[in-house]
Amino acid sequence: MVSKKPVKKIAAKPVVKPTPAVKPASAPAAEGKPTFSKPVLSKPVVANSGKKRSRRWWVLTSAVAIGAAAVLLCALWWQAYRNSPEAALRHAWAAVQTHDWASFQQSVDSAAVAASFVDQVLSEGSFLPAPEQGAEHPGLRSELRADLITLLRPGLVAAVEQQIGAFVRDEAPSDGAVNIVRRLVNALVAEQTTVHSVQVEPLGEGLANATVVLSHPNQPVNVAINLKLRQLSADGWQVVALQNLGALLTQADALEAEKVRLQNEVARSEMAALVRLRDFQKAQQGQTLLLRMAFDNLGSQAITHVAVAVTITALDGQRLGYFRLVADDGIAAQQTLEKAWTLNLQELLAGKNIAAAELVVNAEVAQVALADQTTLGLVD
């Protein structure tokens, strides 16, 4: 019996066992006695902190590696883009907008472009035919053509290059001539014109073709400019030729005609609010045409000048002649002016099998000048 009691007293083994101490909620400790929960829990806390630091380090190094790769890819892309034909075209356009001739020449070989311009004009607009292929002897006309081109070409190329420079610098040509480059650009490019697309076709051997498509909200057809570029050793690309001058000139004519039509529509509307042409009468006596018309001043100030455009056509629509008649008599505000003219049709009908009675005569107000020196008019 004595030997059994000490065994019962030391039976409190769960207190010193670490296993029950892991669950402090299920093993209540005696009041005033320390528990083993704090020292036991300190071990897993240290282990988890090491894992978190290791995880953070892995995330940080991965982010740095990804960022470095992204920077490297951006640098490689920028280097490739900076040395691309597209970058050369954008650089040239920016130089035109800032009138920086030196910067423009970095992306455009102005002498080569001027030469391509002249060569196309000479090939398409020469009054002397080119020699026929396979001809045994080209003939004097063809030889003369070649000699004239050889003689004139250097001067023409230099003149066109000067006009390119004057256009980029926004200056008038030194010789006072009309800047043909500016006129062509103004016909193709308007204030709201934007670059619709740029397509580049590599040709190999450091050459490429580029098609720049321009669009305008008021133009039904886009403008396509075909260029040739040459790759430089280390400085990107450079434009060396304009390849579709003939097509651009044809399109420029159509666009200019459309611009004139739109301008005249506005001018007609504005003049209609100021003056009205009425009682238009015509009478024919042989080859003499008598015209009579009246003008009503609809505005609040005097009209000092009125011009009338008279167009004469045949019954089939063939245009035979154009006359511009002027009335400088003056028309007071809200008053009417009657005017008569006599036209001689003898020269107009000479050599034509058309009787005067078969003529169609149309008249419209072409210009109005007011007392305050305001002038409105149609573009011929």
Side-chain angles (χ1 to χ4, degrees), residues 194-241:
T194 59
V195 178
H196 181 268
S197 63
V198 177
Q199 298 179 351
V200 177
E201 177 189 2
L203 300 177
E205 299 182 356
L207 296 174
N209 286 335
T211 301
V212 181
V213 179
L214 307 178
S215 63
H216 190 280
N218 295 330
Q219 293 176 356
V221 181
N222 292 339
V223 176
I225 304 174
N226 297 334
L227 303 170
K228 178 173 284 187
L229 294 95
R230 177 184 60 213
Q231 188 173 20
L232 305 178
S233 55
D235 298 326
W237 292 73
Q238 197 174 47
V239 179
V240 295

Side-chain angles (χ1 to χ4, degrees), residues 93 96 117 167 179-191 193 214 219 223 225 249 252 255-256 259:
W93 178 245
V96 171
F117 191 102
F167 167 74
N179 194 318
I180 58 176
V181 176
R182 184 184 304 278
R183 183 175 179 185
L184 177 61
V185 173
N186 289 343
L188 298 174
V189 180
E191 184 177 354
T193 298
L214 307 178
Q219 293 176 356
V223 176
I225 304 174
L249 291 175
L255 292 175
E256 277 197 336
K259 288 179 182 178

Side-chain angles (χ1 to χ4, degrees), residues 207-333:
L207 296 174
N209 286 335
T211 301
V212 181
V213 179
L214 307 178
S215 63
H216 190 280
N218 295 330
Q219 293 176 356
V221 181
N222 292 339
V223 176
I225 304 174
N226 297 334
L227 303 170
K228 178 173 284 187
L229 294 95
R230 177 184 60 213
Q231 188 173 20
L232 305 178
S233 55
D235 298 326
W237 292 73
Q238 197 174 47
V239 179
V240 295
L242 170 65
Q243 302 187 103
N244 63 329
L245 178 61
L248 290 177
L249 291 175
T250 301
Q251 198 161 12
D253 286 340
L255 292 175
E256 277 197 336
E258 180 64 14
K259 288 179 182 178
V260 168
R261 187 188 68 80
L262 295 175
Q263 291 174 3
N264 286 343
E265 279 188 0
V266 175
R268 286 187 178 95
S269 176
E270 293 175 344
M271 290 188 295
L274 298 174
V275 63
R276 177 174 57 210
L277 189 158
R278 62 176 178 83
D279 292 339
F280 175 55
Q281 301 175 13
K282 55 186 178 180
Q284 298 174 356
Q285 296 178 357
Q287 292 189 335
T288 301
L289 181 64
L290 301 177
L291 299 179
R292 182 182 297 273
M293 57 195 77
F295 303 95
D296 294 332
N297 185 344
L298 305 177
S300 59
Q301 61 175 307
I303 295 176
T304 59
H305 169 90
V306 176
V308 180
V310 177
T311 305
I312 300 178
T313 60
L315 293 177
D316 59 0
Q318 178 187 359
R319 181 168 173 169
L320 302 175
Y322 170 84
F323 296 91
R324 189 179 182 90
L325 309 179
V326 177
D328 290 329
D329 306 78
I331 314 172

Side-chain angles (χ1 to χ4, degrees), residues 40-270:
V40 171
L41 289 176
S42 63
K43 293 181 180 179
V45 169
V46 174
N48 287 339
S49 299
K51 290 181 180 179
K52 289 181 179 179
R53 283 197 298 269
S54 176
R55 197 175 295 115
R56 289 195 197 100
W57 175 253
W58 182 84
V59 172
L60 180 61
T61 54
S62 299
V64 171
I66 293 173
V71 171
L72 179 60
L73 289 175
C74 289
L76 293 175
W77 175 86
W78 171 247
Q79 181 67 19
Y81 173 77
R82 189 181 66 175
N83 295 329
S84 67
E86 293 90 342
L89 296 173
R90 293 185 181 276
H91 184 268
W93 178 245
V96 171
Q97 292 178 314
T98 58
H99 310 300
D100 190 340
W101 175 240
S103 179
F104 180 82
Q105 288 184 301
Q106 294 177 4
S107 299
V108 179
D109 187 339
S110 56
V113 172
S116 70
F117 191 102
V118 171
D119 289 342
Q120 290 177 81
V121 170
L122 292 176
S123 63
E124 295 189 16
S126 177
F127 63 94
L128 294 174
E132 297 180 1
Q133 295 184 355
E136 184 176 353
H137 182 66
L140 179 60
R141 288 171 60 88
S142 297
E143 291 179 354
L144 182 59
R145 176 185 187 275
D147 292 341
L148 282 174
I149 291 176
T150 303
L151 180 64
L152 298 175
R153 185 179 182 277
L156 293 174
V157 170
V160 172
E161 185 179 10
Q162 288 180 359
Q163 293 212 343
I164 293 174
F167 167 74
V168 173
R169 293 189 295 266
D170 197 23
E171 301 172 352
S174 57
D175 56 0
V178 176
N179 194 318
I180 58 176
V181 176
R182 184 184 304 278
R183 183 175 179 185
L184 177 61
V185 173
N186 289 343
L188 298 174
V189 180
E191 184 177 354
Q192 297 179 339
T193 298
T194 59
V195 178
H196 181 268
S197 63
V198 177
Q199 298 179 351
V200 177
E201 177 189 2
L203 300 177
E205 299 182 356
L207 296 174
N209 286 335
T211 301
V212 181
V213 179
L214 307 178
S215 63
H216 190 280
N218 295 330
Q219 293 176 356
V221 181
N222 292 339
V223 176
I225 304 174
N226 297 334
L227 303 170
K228 178 173 284 187
L229 294 95
R230 177 184 60 213
Q231 188 173 20
L232 305 178
S233 55
D235 298 326
W237 292 73
Q238 197 174 47
V239 179
V240 295
L242 170 65
Q243 302 187 103
N244 63 329
L245 178 61
L248 290 177
L249 291 175
T250 301
Q251 198 161 12
D253 286 340
L255 292 175
E256 277 197 336
E258 180 64 14
K259 288 179 182 178
V260 168
R261 187 188 68 80
L262 295 175
Q263 291 174 3
N264 286 343
E265 279 188 0
V266 175
R268 286 187 178 95
S269 176
E270 293 175 344

